Amino acid sequence: LGGAISAGTSGTVSLDPYTYGRDVSIGTSPTAGTLGLTPAELGTITANWLQIGNYSYQSGNLTVTGALTASDVHVPNLQLAGRNITTGDLGVTGSLYLYSYGGDITTSNLNASYVNIDSYYNSVGGITTGTITATNGVDLYAYGPVRPGTITAGGTVYLQSNYAGVTVPSITTTGGSVSVYSYDDLTIANPITSANSIYLEARKPGGLLTVSAPLSGNSSGYYYYDAVRLRADEMVLALV
């Protein structure tokens, strides 16, 4: 990509391999045999959204080597899609979406207005991130385990695993609620501070919810105006 590509301030630019299963490699030295893209090439694009990769059962893997930030990507909103997604630090001024079809998503630190990460169609496919900083909300959903780093947000934080567990980090949100849904035992070993409600649920029959760190919620949130609501068949409340 040598010339400027413009979709205006409201359009979308999509970059996607033609061959099914072909990997995408983003970095200063892209891997041979992939759809290779450098940060300098991505910097030639002007749009509202930049979408890279394909979200289907025939997707290849997507890898970002090194950091990819707003100084590299001159679009506010970025979507990355593939089977297994592995990245360094990612940062944009708008929304950041990562979508895996049947694989794992592993990232370093994330910084955006809104962070949405989904891993579907594989009961062991999960999400692992570094720290997440979002001026608005954070939404992580996976069939497999969900393991985020420390989360600081200005809006709602939502963490869910459909068939495995959620590792709950330290969470602070100044403008929304915190909801965690785990299909395994759920342990709260790091503090959670929410401007609205805190809702924690261990959805496994016979599941154990253990709280050993402070929870600070506000009754102006959801769930029947409970400041904190806990749901599990068994509980150990060491410190609330």
Side-chain angles (χ1 to χ4, degrees):
L1 304 180
I5 299 173
S6 177
T9 58
S10 61
T12 298
V13 172
S14 296
L15 309 176
D16 183 20
Y18 170 76
T19 301
Y20 292 132
R22 189 174 182 87
D23 293 343
V24 177
S25 175
I26 303 170
T28 54
S29 299
T31 304
T34 68
L35 170 56
L37 300 165
T38 67
E41 289 178 306
L42 298 182
T44 66
I45 298 171
T46 300
N48 183 40
W49 276 93
L50 174 59
Q51 299 177 349
I52 304 176
N54 182 269
Y55 179 67
S56 78
Y57 72 96
Q58 295 173 315
S59 299
N61 299 325
L62 186 148
T63 303
V64 181
T65 57
L68 192 64
T69 67
S71 62
D72 304 305
V73 180
H74 302 154
V75 297
N77 305 299
L78 176 65
Q79 175 181 305
L80 304 177
R83 182 168 294 275
N84 294 297
I85 299 175
T86 305
T87 81
D89 292 350
L90 298 176
V92 293
T93 59
S95 296
L96 176 63
Y97 282 64
L98 305 181
Y99 290 147
S100 167
Y101 195 112
D104 292 304
I105 299 176
T106 304
T107 78
S108 295
N109 301 327
L110 306 176
N111 192 319
S113 174
Y114 173 70
V115 175
N116 181 280
I117 306 178
D118 294 330
S119 176
Y120 289 98
Y121 306 118
N122 184 339
S123 62
V124 297
I127 298 169
T128 303
T129 77
T131 61
I132 300 176
T133 303
T135 54
N136 291 310
V138 174
D139 190 329
L140 309 184
Y141 174 90
Y143 277 34
V146 174
R147 306 184 187 100
T150 298
I151 296 174
T152 304
T156 296
V157 176
Y158 182 94
L159 310 177
Q160 179 174 345
S161 172
N162 244 22
Y163 301 104
V166 177
T167 300
V168 181
S170 174
I171 300 173
T172 301
T173 175
T174 57
S177 59
V178 175
S179 299
V180 180
Y181 300 90
S182 175
Y183 197 73
D184 202 346
D185 294 339
L186 183 60
T187 298
I188 309 301
N190 297 291
I192 299 176
T193 302
S194 173
N196 292 333
S197 61
I198 297 173
Y199 185 88
L200 308 175
E201 182 172 286
R203 290 184 163 178
K204 181 180 73 171
L208 173 64
L209 172 56
T210 301
V211 178
S212 59
L215 304 178
S216 178
N218 189 304
S219 60
S220 65
Y222 304 117
Y223 304 111
Y224 309 103
Y225 300 100
D226 294 335
V228 178
R229 188 177 189 192
L230 311 179
R231 293 192 70 198
D233 282 351
E234 298 184 35
M235 297 185 190
V236 175
L237 307 180
L239 171 66
V240 176

